[in-house]
């Protein structure tokens, strides 16, 4: 078997006024599922793209000021929804997860890292450097809960951007450069900074569904890239680079326009999950 496959899971969700995520949305609260990608790579075995929520989220956000995080985005989660529990249902043990690709370090993406002690973490160094020494309010403002990061994180991390990027072919226009994660052409990573510094999106081809771009939180809902709709300005308060966010949202729009055959998957899009 020489093919890659991707399966999506939902590991909990939070609720939030729709209007924060997309400026012409409603003030009413909507669900934002936390999606996790399970990739089966023909030579590297099982790889996760993010982890969604996990029990650790509640431990890490129990004390002030970290508790502010859980107050602003109320989280709905049951034990059986952790990616660890859902994988166990399928007969996949935590130790079988050999890599976890971390799109960015927000709590709803890294809450399950502690459940996979054998995994190597793949991310951008720019993302890690930005959050690693943040604690207290500075951490919360950046959606980061320090208690979620395994103590041995650095020794298990593989920072793609320690190498120079490669030039991408016109199949990926307007994305010009990226990183071939395992140097085998199966997974290409690009920088989609804005929502978070050093946010990573990945391109891959699923054996059944075809080409897929997991764009993380480059936007919250699919309608945002289709219609080039920015979030409400209130969301800028927790956005480290609004200009880059806009650039990357426009880029995503153009990519969709040029390559309609690609399925674009924003992590929290209910349309995708349905
Ligand atoms: Zn995020």
């Amino acid at each position: 078997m020489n093919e890659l496959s991707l399966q999506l899971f939902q590991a909990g969700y939070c609720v939030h006024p729709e209007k924060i995520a997309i400026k012409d949305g409603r003030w009413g609260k909507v669900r934002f599922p936390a999606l996790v990608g399970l990739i089966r790579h023909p030579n590297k075995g099982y790889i996760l793209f993010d982890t969604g929520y996990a029990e650790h989220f509640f431990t890490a956000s129990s004390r002030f000021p970290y508790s502010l995080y859980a107050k602003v985005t109320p989280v709905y989660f049951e034990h059986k929804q952790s990616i660890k529990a859902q994988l166990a249902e399928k007969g996949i043990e935590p130790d079988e997860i050999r890599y976890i690709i971390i799109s960015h370090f927000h709590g709803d993406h890294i809450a399950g890292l502690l459940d996979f002690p054998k995994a190597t973490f793949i991310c951008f160094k720019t993302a890690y450097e930005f959050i690693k020494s943040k604690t207290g309010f500075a951490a919360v403002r950046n959606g980061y809960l320090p208690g979620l990061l395994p103590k041995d994180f650095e020794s298990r991390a593989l920072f793609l951007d320690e190498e120079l990027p490669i030039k991408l072919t016109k199949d990926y226009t307007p994305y010009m450069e990226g990183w071939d994660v395992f140097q085998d052409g199966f997974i290409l990573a690009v920088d989609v900074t804005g929502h978070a510094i050093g946010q990573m999106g990945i391109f891959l081809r699923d054996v059944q569904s075809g080409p897929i771009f997991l764009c993380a939180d480059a936007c919250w809902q699919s309608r945002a890239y289709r219609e080039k709709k920015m979030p409400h300005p209130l969301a800028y308060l927790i956005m480290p680079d609004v200009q880059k966010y806009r650039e990357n949202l426009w880029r995503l729009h153009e990519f969709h326009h040029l390559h309609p055959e690609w399925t674009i998957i924003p992590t929290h899009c209910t349309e995708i999950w349905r």
Side-chain angles (χ1 to χ4, degrees):
M1 205 176 71
N2 197 26
E3 284 153 331
L4 178 145
S5 69
L6 169 75
Q7 194 178 352
L8 292 178
F9 295 82
Q10 182 190 160
Y13 66 90
C14 71
V15 295
H16 218 59
E18 185 187 36
K19 202 174 182 68
I20 301 292
I22 191 158
K23 65 184 176 190
D24 65 352
R26 296 165 294 132
W27 277 112
K29 290 191 172 169
V30 293
R31 286 184 185 200
F32 290 92
L35 301 187
V36 178
L38 173 68
I39 299 164
R40 191 179 186 150
H41 185 288
N43 311 309
K44 301 287 180 183
Y46 288 119
I47 302 165
L48 289 179
F49 181 72
D50 290 333
T51 69
Y53 291 105
E55 279 81 5
H56 310 291
F57 179 87
F58 302 96
T59 324
S61 63
S62 60
R63 285 185 311 126
F64 186 82
Y66 303 113
S67 50
L68 289 172
Y69 185 137
K71 279 218 173 65
V72 175
T73 55
V75 174
Y76 294 81
F77 172 83
E78 289 174 59
H79 169 77
K80 62 175 190 215
Q81 292 175 311
S82 74
I83 187 62
K84 180 189 177 187
Q86 294 192 66
L87 292 176
E89 282 275 297
K90 298 176 69 70
I92 301 172
E93 295 296 320
D95 288 358
E96 291 180 72
I97 301 298
R98 297 190 44 204
Y99 297 91
I100 301 178
I101 298 176
I102 301 170
S103 69
H104 62 297
F105 288 83
H106 285 172
D108 52 338
H109 294 252
I110 65 162
L113 295 186
L114 290 163
D115 289 332
F116 301 96
K118 294 275 170 67
T120 295
F121 304 120
I122 297 175
C123 63
F124 286 136
K125 193 162 196 172
T126 46
Y128 177 63
E129 291 288 329
F130 186 73
I131 53 91
K132 75 170 188 189
S133 39
K134 288 190 168 56
T135 55
F137 286 106
V140 176
R141 251 199 94 223
N142 285 286
Y144 173 58
L145 298 168
L148 296 177
L149 212 64
K151 295 267 180 289
D152 56 356
F153 182 86
E154 280 189 27
S155 63
R156 292 164 61 194
L158 208 154
F159 298 115
L160 292 185
D161 48 349
E162 281 182 338
E163 304 285 329
L164 287 173
I166 56 165
K167 194 173 175 303
L168 298 179
T169 64
K170 60 179 183 343
D171 292 347
Y172 302 92
T173 311
Y175 296 93
M176 307 302 281
E177 56 181 38
W179 287 261
D180 185 345
V181 177
F182 297 110
Q183 284 97 48
D184 57 8
F186 278 107
I187 303 176
L188 289 179
V190 288
D191 187 317
V192 286
T193 286
H195 167 81
I197 301 295
Q199 180 175 234
M200 184 188 289
I202 58 169
F203 294 99
L204 49 82
R205 282 179 169 79
D206 173 73
V207 60
Q208 278 175 347
S209 319
I212 292 174
F213 181 28
L214 290 158
C215 70
D217 296 2
C219 63
W220 279 288
Q221 296 177 338
S222 299
R223 191 166 72 81
Y225 76 75
R226 281 197 300 264
E227 301 174 15
K228 292 213 270 190
K229 289 269 159 64
M230 286 289 281
H232 190 277
L234 269 176
Y236 299 170
L237 294 173
I238 50 149
M239 204 180 272
D241 195 329
V242 178
Q243 180 56 31
K244 283 261 162 53
Y245 186 100
R246 184 178 286 107
E247 281 170 28
N248 270 311
L249 185 64
W250 268 225
R251 200 168 283 132
L252 195 54
H253 174 84
E254 197 187 345
F255 178 77
H256 170 61
H257 191 72
L258 294 170
H259 315 279
E261 69 281 13
W262 284 76
T263 304
I264 297 174
I265 302 185
T267 299
H268 306 297
C269 180
T270 29
E271 194 183 311
I272 290 285
W273 180 242
R274 275 195 209 110

